[in-house]
Amino acid sequence: DMGLGIIAALKNIAPIVFYVGGVVLFFRAVTGRVHWTLLCVTFLLPLRNVVDKLQAYPLGNQFLDILIFGIIVGWFLSSLGGKKKILENTSINTIAIFLILYSFISLIIGAQYLGLDSFFDISDPRVQSWKNFCLLPVLYFITVNNVRDKKEVWKVFTVMCCAMVLMGYYASSQVSWFSSLLSRGKITGTFQFLGPNEVAAFYNQYTIILLSVYFFMKKGAKKTLLLLLIILNTYCMMFMYSRAAYLAAAVGLFLLFAFKKKWLLVPLLLVALFWQVALPEKAIERFQTTTNEYGQLEASAERRLLIWDKGMELFQENSLVGIGYGSFSRLGYDLGDTHNIYVKILVEQGVVGMLIFIILILSFIAEGFRLYQKGDDDLSKGLGLGLVVCVFVLLVNNIFGDRWSYLELSAYLWIFAGLVARLNIISNEENSPARPAKKKFANLKNPYIRPV
C-alpha cells in the first residue's frame, strides 16, 4: 500500500514538475544550451499520457512543440558563430527535406480533392496530423546536429530506455487488467489514443534495437539492466496478442540472429514450426480467428481486403500524386483507414510519395549498415545493426496498419537514425587522414604558420 501511495503521489506532482522544468529548459535551449532540453523531449515523446496532463497549464497543449521550437532556435543561434555547421551532411538529409516539402504539397492537393475552403486550416485534423508527421524528420535533424559526441549519444539512448521502463509499467499493468481477447482493445500503453497493435509495434521495433546493442555489450551491470528491459518489453508485446507484431518480431529476430547469433536461429525455427505449443494460448486463439470454422476470412480480415481494393481503385484514378495527404479517412469508407501504409501512401501521395518513402527507408538502412561495418566500438556496431533490423520490422508492421505516421510511435525511429548518423560522422572524423597530421605538428611553434 505504501508503494502504491508513493506512485500515486509521484503521478500527481509529475505534471507540474515537468511543466516548470520545461519552462526552464526552453529558456536554456534558446540560448544554445539544448542538450538537457533534447533529453527531456526524448523522454516525453512516447509518454502521451504524461504530456496530456500538462494541458491544464498555460500553453500546455503545445508543450512538446514549444520545447522543440526552443531547441531549433538554440541550434541555429549557436551555429551563427561559425563554431559548428548548421547542418551536418548525411545521406538522409535530402530525402527527409523532400518528405516535408512533398507532404505539404500533398496537403494542398488533398484540400482541393475534398473541396475545402482553406488548404491550411489549423483546426483541420489533416493539418494537425501533417504537423505532427513533419516533427519526425525535424527530430532527426535536431538529433544529428546537436548530439555532439559518443557520450551524449549514449545519454540519449539511456533516456530512451528510461522512457521504455515507464511505458512498461503502464503497459504491463493494462495487460493484467485487460487479459481477455475481447478487452485487449482497451490497452493503449502510454499512447492514449492508439490501440494494442500500435503499442505492440512500438515494442517490437525498438526492442530489436535494444537486443542488438545487448549482443555487442560487454558483461556488467548495464548489460543486465538492458536485458531486464528487453524482457519487460517482450512480455508487454507478447500479451497484446497482435498478429502483425508476432510476425514482424519473428522477421526481426531472424535477421538479427543471422548477423550476430546464428546458433539462435535453431530455437527460433523450432518456435516457428511448433508455434501452437510455444505461444500463449490466447495468442494461438488470436491467430486462429483469422478464418472461421469453414476456412473463410473472418469479418475484420475481409473488411481490410475490401478497403485495400477500394484504395487501389482510387490510386489508379490518381496514380501520380494521389488524392492528398490525410484525405482517405475523410471519404467515409468502412474502417476509416486503409490499414496498410503502402496502400495509404499510394492512395494519398501516389507514385511520387511511394518513391520518397522507399528512398528514405533505403537511406535508413544504408546509414545503419555503414555504422555496423565501420563503427569503431561495439556499442556503435550494435546500434547500427539494430537500426537496419528495426527498419525491416517496421516494413512488416506496416503491412497491417499505419505504424509510420504517428509521432508517439515513430519518433524513436528518427532519433535512433539521428544517433546512428552522428556516430557515422564521428567515425569518419576520427579516421580522416587530416587528424594524425594535426597531432604530429600540434606542438611545433612556427611564427610563419598562422593557425587556421
Side-chain angles (χ1 to χ4, degrees), residues 322-349:
I323 65 174
Y325 187 92
S327 297
F328 187 85
S329 61
R330 299 283 288 270
L331 299 180
Y333 291 118
D334 185 27
L335 296 180
D337 187 76
T338 60
H339 286 272
N340 178 302
I341 196 61
Y342 310 108
V343 174
K344 187 172 185 175
I345 292 173
L346 286 172
V347 171
E348 296 187 343
Q349 301 176 54

Side-chain angles (χ1 to χ4, degrees), residues 421-432:
R422 168 49 66 183
L423 287 169
N424 272 323
I425 292 167
I426 293 170
S427 179
N428 290 338
E429 289 173 349
E430 290 178 348
N431 296 321
S432 64

Side-chain angles (χ1 to χ4, degrees), residues 371-384:
L371 186 62
Y372 169 62
Q373 285 190 311
K374 297 183 179 180
D376 48 14
D377 64 271
D378 287 345
L379 291 180
S380 294
K381 288 179 178 292
L383 204 56

Side-chain angles (χ1 to χ4, degrees), residues 63 71 152 236 279 309 333 339 342 372 421 452:
F63 184 78
I71 294 172
E152 290 187 5
C236 292
L279 291 180
D309 286 341
Y333 291 118
H339 286 272
Y342 310 108
Y372 169 62
V452 178

Side-chain angles (χ1 to χ4, degrees), residues 129-314:
S129 173
W130 173 80
K131 183 268 294 181
N132 287 334
F133 178 69
C134 287
L135 284 178
L136 296 171
V138 168
L139 287 168
Y140 167 79
F141 285 119
I142 285 174
T143 303
V144 75
N145 290 286
N146 291 282
V147 175
R148 306 309 304 172
D149 53 41
K150 288 182 181 179
K151 187 176 180 181
E152 290 187 5
V153 168
W154 298 114
K155 279 185 181 178
V156 174
F157 179 83
T158 302
V159 165
M160 294 163 92
C161 290
C162 291
M164 289 186 210
V165 170
L166 191 56
M167 289 182 70
Y169 165 75
Y170 282 100
S172 60
S173 299
Q174 291 175 16
V175 163
S176 63
W177 297 336
F178 310 114
S179 57
S180 72
L181 290 178
L182 291 175
S183 65
R184 66 180 285 274
K186 297 178 182 178
I187 298 175
T188 61
T190 56
F191 288 173
Q192 298 289 84
F193 303 109
L194 299 178
N197 293 327
E198 287 79 14
V199 179
F202 179 97
Y203 278 122
N204 67 13
Q205 285 176 197
Y206 305 125
T207 304
I208 207 74
I209 296 180
L210 303 187
L211 187 59
S212 178
V213 171
Y214 172 83
F215 283 156
F216 283 89
M217 287 179 78
K218 302 292 190 294
K219 288 183 180 179
K222 291 179 181 178
K223 184 165 184 171
T224 303
L225 289 173
L226 187 60
L227 177 60
L228 292 175
L229 177 56
I230 290 167
I231 293 170
L232 175 62
N233 287 358
T234 304
Y235 169 82
C236 292
M237 187 205 73
M238 284 293 295
F239 290 96
M240 287 179 191
Y241 309 118
S242 170
R243 293 169 292 199
Y246 293 150
L247 179 59
V251 170
L253 290 173
F254 175 81
L255 290 172
L256 183 59
F257 295 165
F259 273 103
K260 186 60 183 170
K261 297 284 185 182
K262 289 183 173 59
W263 66 271
L264 285 173
L265 289 171
V266 175
L268 181 64
L269 180 62
L270 291 174
V271 170
L273 290 173
F274 302 104
W275 60 272
Q276 290 178 308
V277 176
L279 291 180
E281 183 180 347
K282 288 174 185 172
I284 296 166
E285 288 179 36
R286 179 83 174 125
F287 271 108
Q288 291 172 340
T289 56
T290 305
T291 57
N292 62 24
E293 58 187 311
Y294 302 108
Q296 299 168 325
L297 286 173
E298 53 93 15
S300 68
E302 187 174 11
R303 288 162 70 198
R304 288 191 186 200
L305 291 179
L306 291 172
I307 206 70
W308 292 350
D309 286 341
K310 187 61 189 176
M312 295 313 294
E313 285 178 21
L314 288 170

